[in-house]
């Protein structure tokens, strides 16, 4: 679920994701990325991981949903993103994403968002290991595109 207040220009938006093995399989089909690090447990264990890895771009899809549908929302385009993945995400990890407005240029419709995602032990866990961080530059189109 996604949480934010009505004044997005000075707000924070957060959303949760718990990627399942089926999500990884579907993303592999969609992207064509069948790297064994994502779907072969023995291969992943041989490289020192505790499980297969969730695709980094699967987590980026969550950011796209948050930005395009909620924060800033309808009529927003992602122009650029600079993200790092300092720790692995495994299937069924509970991930909390947070978008925070860093700056807004109303004249150009440009919004710079700071992005952070933490792996948590439960929905109530308030800390967690950082699994994604960076920034996203967006453009809010004016006037907003009507929803159909």
């Amino acid at each position: 679920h996604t949480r934010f207040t009505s004044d997005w220009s000075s707000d924070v938006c957060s959303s949760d994701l718990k990627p399942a093995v089926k999500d990884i399989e579907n993303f592999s089909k969609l992207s064509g990325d069948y790297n064994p690090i994502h779907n072969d447990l023995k291969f992943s264990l041989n490289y020192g991981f505790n499980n297969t890895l969730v695709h980094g771009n699967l987590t980026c899809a969550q950011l796209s949903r948050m930005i395009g549908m909620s924060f800033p929302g309808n009529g927003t385009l992602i122009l650029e993103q600079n993200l790092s993945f300092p720790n692995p995400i495994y299937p069924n990890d509970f991930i909390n994403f947070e978008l925070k407005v860093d700056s807004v240029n109303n004249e150009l419709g440009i919004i710079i968002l700071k992005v952070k995602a933490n792996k948590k032990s439960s929905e109530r866990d308030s800390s967690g290991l950082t699994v994604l961080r960076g920034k996203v530059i967006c453009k809010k189109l004016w006037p907003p595109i009507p929803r159909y």
Side-chain angles (χ1 to χ4, degrees):
H1 57 283
T2 303
R3 300 172 295 279
F4 61 97
T5 65
S6 59
D7 181 15
W8 60 264
S9 65
S10 62
D11 206 357
V12 173
C13 175
S14 65
S15 185
D16 303 322
L17 176 70
K18 188 175 180 182
V21 171
K22 190 71 175 167
D23 297 324
I24 296 166
E25 291 169 356
N26 287 335
F27 189 82
S28 290
K29 288 177 191 171
L30 177 67
S31 67
D33 181 355
Y34 291 97
N35 183 333
I37 202 81
H38 302 299
N39 56 30
D40 183 331
L41 180 59
K42 187 175 179 182
F43 183 91
S44 298
L45 294 174
N46 283 337
Y47 282 93
F49 295 103
N50 298 332
N51 200 337
T52 56
L53 301 181
V54 173
H55 298 78
N57 280 322
L58 176 57
T59 61
C60 291
Q62 175 76 352
L63 293 176
S64 179
R65 184 194 63 75
M66 291 172 71
I67 292 167
M69 301 306 295
S70 301
F71 187 83
N74 195 18
T76 304
L77 300 174
I78 295 174
L79 300 179
E80 180 181 328
Q81 56 188 21
N82 182 353
L83 304 170
S84 63
F85 303 90
N87 293 292
I89 299 174
Y90 300 118
N92 299 309
D93 278 348
F94 185 84
I95 308 300
N96 176 258
F97 291 80
E98 182 178 277
L99 302 176
K100 184 183 288 187
V101 174
D102 187 46
S103 66
V104 177
N105 181 322
N106 286 318
E107 187 175 309
L108 298 176
I110 301 294
I111 303 151
I112 299 177
L113 301 170
K114 287 186 177 180
V115 177
K116 187 173 184 181
N118 289 334
K119 184 187 306 193
K120 303 192 174 208
S121 59
S122 72
E123 193 168 344
R124 294 183 182 173
D125 184 1
S126 62
S127 61
L129 187 65
T130 299
V131 293
L132 181 148
R133 65 176 165 237
K135 75 175 185 177
V136 178
I137 301 173
C138 306
K139 180 165 182 69
K140 183 75 171 161
L141 302 175
W142 301 105
I145 300 168
R147 291 185 185 235
Y148 296 99

